[in-house]
């Protein structure tokens, strides 16, 4: 367990310990800057081209030269003025860089032992890098040996039937050779699978251990220190930890490789250190042998189903496939889904019968938003899983069912996996997610309660609190969501887990955005920082997307900036689903602001992406959005077809929340077309969907829409009750849009009943709410109705101000149907304050336009306004003719609210 120490210009560099010092003073470097220094020192005296450095630091990734320049500047700055004066790093114009200082290399033993005083001149590695572990070449796979044994675990450390957790952390690339970087993630994944073959052991994902260990010292020759082990035990429930590294001269199949591994018990600190050697080409068999040995040492032999006899089917069939898998897994960890996809496609091309590669490929396609391809890869994995251990087959089955939106099947597979692995929290967390996707928050809550019981008296787990926050979000309980997210944030920060902290900050911000926008903004910006700390571009994009949502109704320019940053990040990582989500948000913002054309363009982009990726739920959103936008131009049968297509897709995807929205939008469309009975029935279905979900905010919107339908049918009592219920729910949940719409409808009822004073109050209130939410169309409607109320109250100055505002707002709106009622109100106001005949003509034109577009209710409203105008000076015969025709049409369509006002 020796380590190299490089010396130059008074500095000491220890690659294995990742330490740089001078005169006993440690010099802090970021990981990439440290790696850059190691590359330069290892090649001292020789030019390293910029391409060499880019590939060495960011293997397989497209990184601009500016990144290298920045890291070189940071390195020179860290080396200080002495480095500048000595000219340690030479820039070779238009080529690259050379490390100029003489370098010595000494070999030191493990920490705590006396170091060798001899330092010899170091011969830099050049093309064809000579192996500095050549002595290992004499050991072959046939002669694997345990070379170092520390205090042993006494006997099998747990009894049969108990489920113990092993955390396999990152295995370090001790040679620092970028060409062999793929071996680490491949070993973590395959060793984890091998260890987990035993019936009494499950493996916690390595990614969970990394943030837990952030800030703790790196493991030495004897593994992790007691504080690190305690952190893994309390925060992950790990009973054992496997750590270590590998030493290899290159990734050539015949190159020798040595694995230095340490197995530690987190309770009591018992440890086993051992070294295994072989060739790179023998890695699959080497992993299988190590896995069997570890299972034996842990007392977890073959289970009753004979999984161990199937272990060979989990081995990569060749070293090239294993290399592809390792690179792909590392890409997934970096959220480079496109890079991972390419590697896994190569793996399945070379080994079409290797089921695990298809399962990982499914994950990559899913991360990119390609649901059909994810489903196809998962189905292929399932078709090839016959020879795999049952836990692996169940995990693949759950993934396949999830990709097919078969939430029931996915839940069944996960419950069977939980039965096999009762102590493993991972399938339980997956089950919660599946149940929420199925629209079953109560069942998800029960699953969470079971997971909490499993945790027992152990310290709080941020992931559990985040799951509770997500369940509360599905129940539309912002208070509970905020409470759980706040607890998750406290736990994540105490555990130094920036990834979980970012998730908690985002959840908490969304819960607070309606009541404490400044706090929400602060939390989301901190989430961006926390995700950046762990190199999670997807998390950063998600936080910025929510920043855009936060500011979309308050500061559109700021929202657009955040959306643009999020979209760029999603595009860079190949997340088509994320790009579509940004288009969805932009479309919502433009629609709210009255930009119909922009909203429709955004919706068509969403539909194109969702169809390309076969995202069923996303297609439902796009078809519903397009139907709403098309109905703004004309409400023909094609609009109904689009709405019903969206309803069918929502049913298929089990997207109950969006199904409620689609039914609600469809009911409004049916009301507009004059089909009031079907509109009422459809609205009641939407209410039922929201009630089943426990979605109080959605139910508030449904109450408002059903109140509007009841009013059109002449049931004023039911309409007023619906408005009251919608207003109360909207106030409780900070739903500004529903609250403003409820106040607007309350004012319309009062004005229709000839109660102008309370109507004016309602319109003024609605106008303020629409303005606060940046809802331009709503502002125009409220201003136009307020002008009518002021006219009825004899307040000409206030009337003219409201009318001027309505006209100014109207000029900025490209929507037609949504703002049509404002056009009617302004024309009616013109008739009451100017020329009745001109107003009559304008209103008749509006009525004809509405009828042509299929907007029956709006055509009736325009004709009623014309009668209102003519009722003052009076054009007896014409007014009577209009009244008779309108009465007949209103009776035929069931618009009793029109008849009531005619009376």
């Amino acid at each position: 367990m020796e380590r190299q120490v490089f010396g130059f210009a008074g500095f000491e560099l220890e690659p294995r310990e990742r330490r740089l010092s001078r005169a006993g003073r440690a010099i802090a470097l970021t990981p990439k800057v440290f790696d850059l220094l190691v590359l330069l020192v290892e090649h001292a005296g020789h030019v390293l081209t910029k391409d060499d450095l880019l590939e060495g630091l960011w293997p397989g990734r497209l990184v601009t030269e500016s990144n290298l320049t920045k890291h070189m500047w940071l390195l020179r700055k860290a080396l200080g003025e002495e480095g500048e004066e000595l000219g340690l790093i030479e820039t070779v114009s238009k080529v690259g860089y050379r490390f100029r200082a003489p370098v010595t290399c000494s070999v030191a033993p493990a920490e705590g032992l006396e170091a060798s005083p001899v330092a010899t001149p170091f011969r830099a590695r050049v093309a064809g890098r000579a192996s500095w572990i050549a002595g290992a070449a004499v050991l072959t796979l046939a002669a694997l040996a345990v070379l170092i044994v520390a205090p042993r675990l006494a006997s099998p450390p747990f009894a049969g039937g108990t489920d113990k957790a092993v955390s396999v952390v990152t295995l370090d690339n001790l040679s620092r050779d970028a060409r062999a970087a793929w071996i680490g993630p491949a070993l973590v994944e395959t060793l984890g699978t091998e260890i987990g073959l035993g019936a009494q052991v499950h493996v916690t994902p390595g990614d969970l251990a990394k943030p837990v260990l952030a800030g703790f010292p790196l493991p030495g020759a004897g593994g992790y220190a007691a504080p690190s082990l305690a952190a893994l035990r309390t925060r992950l429930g790990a009973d054992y930890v496997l750590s270590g590294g590998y030493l290899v001269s290159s990734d050539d199949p015949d190159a020798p490789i040595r694995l230095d591994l340490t197995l530690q018990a987190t309770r009591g600190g018992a440890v086993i250190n051992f070294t295994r050697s072989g060739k790179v080409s023998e890695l699959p068999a080497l992993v299988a042998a190590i896995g069997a040995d570890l299972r034996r040492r842990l007392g977890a032999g073959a289970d009753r189903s004979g999984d161990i006899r199937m272990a060979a089917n989990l081995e990569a069939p060749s070293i090239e496939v294993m290399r592809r898998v390792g690179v792909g897994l590392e890409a997934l960890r970096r959220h480079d889904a496109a890079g991972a996809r390419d590697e896994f496609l190569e793996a399945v091309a070379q080994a079409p019968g290797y089921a695990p590669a298809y399962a990982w490929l499914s994950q990559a396609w899913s991360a990119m938003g390609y649901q059909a391809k994810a489903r196809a890869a998962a189905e292929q994995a399932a078709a090839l899983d016959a020879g795999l251990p049952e836990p692996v087959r169940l995990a693949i089955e759950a993934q396949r069912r999830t990709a097919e939106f078969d939430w029931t099947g996915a839940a069944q597979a996960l419950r069977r996996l939980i039965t096999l692995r009762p102590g493993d929290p991972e399938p339980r967390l997956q089950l919660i997610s599946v149940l929420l996707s199925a629209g079953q928050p109560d069942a998800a809550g029960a699953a969470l309660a079971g997971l909490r019981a499993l945790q027992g008296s152990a310290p709080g787990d941020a992931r559990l609190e985040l799951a509770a926050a997500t369940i509360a979000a599905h129940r539309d309980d912002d208070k509970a969501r905020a409470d759980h997210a706040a607890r998750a944030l406290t736990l994540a920060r105490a555990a130094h887990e920036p990834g979980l902290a970012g998730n908690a900050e985002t959840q908490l911000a969304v819960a607070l955005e309606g009541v404490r926008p400044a706090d929400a903004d602060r939390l989301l910006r901190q989430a961006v920082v926390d995700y950046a700390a762990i190199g999670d571009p997807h998390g950063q994009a998600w936080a910025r997307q929510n920043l855009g949502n936060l500011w979309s109704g308050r500061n559109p320019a700021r929202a657009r900036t955040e959306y643009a940053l999020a979209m760029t990040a999603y595009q860079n990582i190949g997340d088509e689903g994320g790009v579509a989500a940004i288009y969805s948000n932009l479309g919502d913002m433009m629609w709210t602001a009255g930009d119909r054309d922009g909203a429709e363009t955004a919706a068509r982009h969403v539909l194109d992406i969702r169809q390309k990726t076969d995202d069923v739920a996303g297609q439902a959103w796009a078809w519903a959005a397009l139907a709403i936008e098309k109905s703004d131009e004309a409400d023909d049968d094609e609009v109904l077809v689009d709405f019903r297509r969206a309803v069918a897709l929502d049913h298929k995807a089990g997207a109950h929340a969006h199904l409620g929205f689609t039914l609600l939008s469809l009911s409004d469309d049916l009301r507009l077309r004059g089909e009031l009975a079907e509109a009422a029935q459809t609205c009641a279905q939407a209410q039922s969907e929201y009630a089943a979900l426990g979605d109080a905010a959605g139910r508030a919107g449904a109450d408002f829409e059903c109140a509007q339908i009841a009013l059109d049918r002449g049931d004023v009592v039911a309409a007023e009750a619906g408005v009251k219920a919608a207003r109360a729910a909207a106030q409780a949940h900070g739903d500004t849009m529903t609250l403003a719409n409820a106040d607007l409808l309350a004012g319309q009822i009062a004005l229709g009943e000839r109660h102008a004073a309370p109507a004016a109050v309602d319109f003024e209130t609605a106008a303020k709410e629409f303005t606060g939410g940046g809802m331009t169309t709503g502002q125009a409607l409220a201003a136009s109705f307020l002008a009518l109320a002021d006219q009825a109250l004899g307040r000409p100055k206030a009337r003219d101000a409201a009318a001027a505002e309505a006209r100014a707002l109207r000029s900025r709106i490209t929507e037609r149907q949504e703002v049509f009622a404002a056009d009617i109100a302004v024309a009616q106001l013109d008739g009451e304050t100017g020329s009745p005949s001109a107003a009559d003509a304008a209103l008749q034109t509006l009525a004809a336009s509405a009828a042509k577009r299929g907007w029956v209710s709006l055509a009736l409203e325009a004709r009623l306004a014309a009668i209102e105008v003519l009722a003052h000076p009076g054009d007896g015969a014409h007014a009577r003719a209009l009244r008779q025709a309108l009465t007949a049409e209103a009776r035929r369509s069931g618009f009793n609210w029109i008849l009531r006002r005619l009376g």
Side-chain angles (χ1 to χ4, degrees):
M1 305 303 291
E2 297 171 335
R3 68 183 193 278
Q4 284 185 313
V5 180
F6 295 106
F8 57 89
F11 293 88
E12 286 192 344
L13 174 66
E14 301 175 72
R16 176 168 180 172
E17 298 299 323
R18 299 191 67 78
R19 182 160 54 209
L20 174 68
S21 60
R22 192 171 201 224
R25 178 177 61 87
I27 299 172
L29 299 177
T30 63
K32 286 295 182 190
V33 172
F34 187 91
D35 292 343
L36 174 59
L37 176 59
V38 171
L39 282 172
L40 289 168
V41 169
E42 286 180 343
H43 297 80
H46 298 275
V47 175
L48 280 176
T49 69
K50 294 176 182 178
D51 287 342
D52 288 337
L53 292 169
L54 288 170
E55 179 59 27
L57 294 170
W58 294 280
R61 295 183 64 188
L62 183 61
V63 178
T64 63
E65 192 175 305
S66 62
N67 281 292
L68 177 59
T69 303
K70 180 184 74 174
H71 283 80
M72 189 64 72
W73 178 83
L74 291 170
L75 175 56
R76 282 172 162 156
K77 183 179 179 183
L79 293 175
E81 293 180 0
E82 300 93 335
E84 287 295 323
E85 292 171 1
L86 295 169
L88 297 181
I89 303 173
E90 174 189 2
T91 300
V92 182
S93 180
K94 298 183 180 180
V95 178
Y97 301 90
R98 177 190 290 113
F99 197 81
R100 297 179 57 187
V103 177
T104 62
C105 179
S106 60
V107 178
E111 292 285 350
L113 300 181
E114 184 179 353
S116 167
V118 180
T120 58
F122 175 63
R123 183 175 181 180
R125 291 194 287 171
V126 294
R129 305 179 185 181
S131 170
W132 37 291
I133 57 166
V138 299
L139 294 174
T140 65
L141 186 63
L144 294 176
V146 177
L147 303 180
I148 304 174
V149 180
R152 298 180 59 88
L153 300 174
S155 55
F158 48 84
T162 359
D163 191 24
K164 295 292 182 179
V166 177
S167 181
V168 182
V169 301
T170 302
L171 300 178
D172 293 327
N173 179 3
L174 303 178
S175 61
R176 315 304 304 166
D177 188 336
R179 294 173 300 173
W182 63 269
I183 295 176
L187 286 173
V188 169
E189 179 67 30
T190 52
L191 273 174
T193 303
E194 283 285 345
I195 296 169
L197 289 173
Q200 300 121 328
V201 178
H202 71 267
V203 178
T204 60
D207 280 350
L208 296 179
K210 292 174 186 176
V212 172
L213 294 169
F216 286 103
L218 292 172
Y224 284 100
S228 305
L229 296 176
L232 288 167
R233 182 176 67 251
T234 57
R235 296 175 199 168
L236 292 183
D239 298 289
Y240 298 90
V241 180
L242 183 68
S243 63
Y246 58 95
L247 200 59
V248 64
S249 60
S250 73
D251 64 347
D252 184 272
D254 291 327
I257 183 170
R258 190 181 80 200
L259 275 67
D260 299 320
L261 301 176
T262 300
L263 180 67
Q264 294 174 273
T266 59
R267 296 180 187 275
V271 63
I272 300 174
N273 288 331
F274 56 98
T275 295
R276 293 293 180 89
S277 298
K279 294 180 180 179
V280 170
S281 61
E282 298 166 333
L283 268 177
L286 180 58
V287 167
I290 293 173
D293 189 24
L294 286 170
R295 289 194 304 272
R296 178 182 58 78
R297 293 174 184 276
L298 292 169
D303 63 7
R304 290 185 299 273
S305 62
D307 280 346
I308 306 306
R309 292 192 300 273
M310 303 178 180
N313 295 322
L314 283 173
E315 295 177 14
S318 71
I319 191 59
E320 177 59 17
V321 171
M322 191 175 188
R323 187 183 74 80
R324 293 288 185 181
V325 165
V327 175
L329 290 169
E330 178 63 14
L332 274 183
R333 188 191 66 78
R334 297 193 315 265
H335 298 275
D336 178 8
R341 171 206 58 191
D342 294 343
E343 295 298 334
F344 294 136
L345 282 172
E346 288 292 337
V348 299
Q350 295 177 38
Y354 186 44
Y358 283 103
W360 291 315
L361 177 60
S362 176
Q363 293 178 27
W365 281 125
S366 181
M368 294 176 68
Y370 286 85
Q371 298 304 318
K373 292 176 184 274
R375 182 166 61 250
E379 289 173 350
Q380 189 68 21
L384 297 168
D385 72 356
L388 297 178
E390 188 174 4
V392 179
R393 286 188 286 110
L394 286 172
I396 291 175
E397 174 71 4
Q399 185 174 336
R400 180 177 72 86
R401 297 287 189 179
T402 299
E404 294 173 346
F405 308 110
D406 178 4
W407 310 120
T408 300
Q412 289 174 347
L414 288 168
R415 286 190 172 107
R416 286 159 56 200
L417 185 54
I418 289 168
T419 301
L420 288 178
R421 295 279 188 266
D424 188 352
E426 301 310 313
R428 294 174 183 268
L429 286 167
Q430 293 173 36
L431 177 61
I432 292 170
S433 177
V434 164
L435 292 171
L436 289 175
S437 297
Q440 300 176 34
D442 291 341
L448 177 60
L451 185 50
R452 289 192 187 279
L454 175 69
Q455 188 186 46
S457 59
D461 187 334
R463 294 185 300 161
L464 271 59
E465 293 300 332
L466 284 170
T470 306
I471 293 170
H474 279 258
R475 290 171 171 161
D476 204 46
D477 186 344
D478 282 343
K479 184 181 184 305
R481 183 182 194 180
D483 290 343
H484 287 296
R487 282 199 288 274
L489 182 56
T490 299
L491 290 167
R493 286 176 174 170
H496 307 290
E497 296 175 348
L500 289 178
N503 197 334
E505 285 154 351
T506 304
Q507 288 262 30
L508 181 55
V510 174
L512 296 177
E513 68 177 24
V515 290
R516 287 158 51 189
D519 287 339
D521 179 78
R522 175 183 55 78
L523 285 162
L524 288 169
R525 295 199 176 281
Q526 183 58 46
V528 173
V529 173
D530 285 334
Y531 284 125
I534 60 171
D536 183 350
H538 188 278
Q540 293 177 69
W542 182 47
R544 290 202 178 278
Q545 181 182 350
N546 279 285
L547 274 167
N549 295 343
L550 172 66
W551 291 108
S552 63
R554 299 176 175 88
N555 188 333
R558 188 171 176 182
R560 283 191 292 270
T561 298
E562 296 296 344
Y563 284 143
L565 291 169
M567 180 171 289
T568 299
Y570 282 136
Q571 289 170 334
N572 287 341
I573 61 177
D575 186 348
E576 294 279 6
V579 172
I582 296 298
Y583 275 124
S584 301
N585 295 139
L586 287 169
D588 285 343
M589 187 176 75
M590 288 185 283
W591 181 260
T592 300
D595 183 358
R596 172 198 173 276
D597 298 334
E600 183 175 352
T601 300
R604 292 197 180 280
H605 279 303
V606 174
L607 183 59
D608 288 344
I609 294 172
R610 299 306 192 187
Q611 287 180 327
K612 180 174 73 171
T613 61
D614 196 38
D615 184 331
V616 177
Q619 290 178 60
W621 182 95
W623 282 118
L626 285 171
I628 293 169
E629 290 151 5
K630 286 179 184 177
S631 69
D632 188 70
E633 176 67 27
D635 201 350
D636 53 22
D637 290 343
E638 184 181 343
V639 170
L640 283 183
V641 169
D642 288 350
F643 269 127
R644 286 171 175 147
R645 181 185 283 129
V647 168
L649 289 168
D650 279 329
H651 276 297
K652 180 179 179 181
H656 294 279
H658 191 265
L659 175 59
F661 168 80
T662 307
L663 290 170
L664 204 56
S665 303
L666 174 57
S667 67
D668 188 62
D669 185 69
L670 291 166
R671 180 187 69 82
L672 189 69
R673 292 165 61 93
E675 300 172 24
L676 295 181
E678 188 177 355
Q681 182 181 12
T682 304
C683 190
Q685 291 174 357
Q687 285 179 314
S688 297
E689 286 291 333
Y690 285 126
L693 288 171
D695 185 343
R699 179 62 187 267
D703 287 342
F704 163 76
E705 179 60 36
C706 293
Q708 201 164 224
I709 296 168
L711 181 63
D712 282 338
R713 301 178 84 180
D715 191 344
V716 178
V717 173
E720 290 177 332
V723 167
K724 183 178 180 181
R727 179 185 277 156
Q731 284 177 328
H733 292 86
D735 183 352
T736 305
M737 179 177 284
T738 300
L739 182 61
N741 279 326
D743 286 328
L744 186 70
L745 185 58
Q748 290 174 278
I749 294 172
L751 190 62
E753 297 280 74
R754 299 291 192 265
H755 303 313
V761 173
D762 286 331
F763 293 142
E764 287 172 347
T765 303
K768 291 177 183 176
E769 291 159 347
F770 282 128
T771 302
M775 294 171 267
T776 310
T777 303
Q779 291 175 255
L781 286 167
S784 63
F785 288 134
L786 179 58
L788 285 176
D790 286 331
Q791 168 68 8
L793 291 168
R795 302 190 301 204
K797 186 175 180 180
R799 173 202 67 202
D800 293 343
E805 183 180 8
R807 290 188 176 94
L809 290 166
R810 180 64 181 90
S811 68
R812 293 159 42 192
I813 299 171
T814 61
E815 291 173 351
R816 295 176 177 84
Q817 180 235 102
E818 288 282 326
V819 80
F820 204 87
D823 294 337
I824 294 172
V826 169
Q828 180 180 344
L829 187 66
D830 288 342
E832 295 184 359
T833 60
S835 169
S837 59
D840 174 46
L843 287 164
Q844 294 301 334
T845 299
L846 286 172
S849 175
K852 183 178 180 180
R853 296 175 187 275
W855 303 338
V856 173
S857 67
L858 291 174
L860 296 176
E861 290 289 345
R863 289 160 66 187
L864 176 61
I867 294 172
E868 294 272 5
V869 167
L870 295 173
H872 296 290
D875 179 353
H878 180 50
R880 281 195 297 275
L882 287 177
R883 179 182 290 275
Q884 289 172 356
L886 181 58
T887 299
E889 178 60 25
R891 283 177 177 163
R892 183 165 56 251
S893 304
F895 278 87
N896 294 323
W897 177 234
I898 295 285
L899 294 174
R900 180 167 176 147
R901 284 180 286 165
L902 272 173

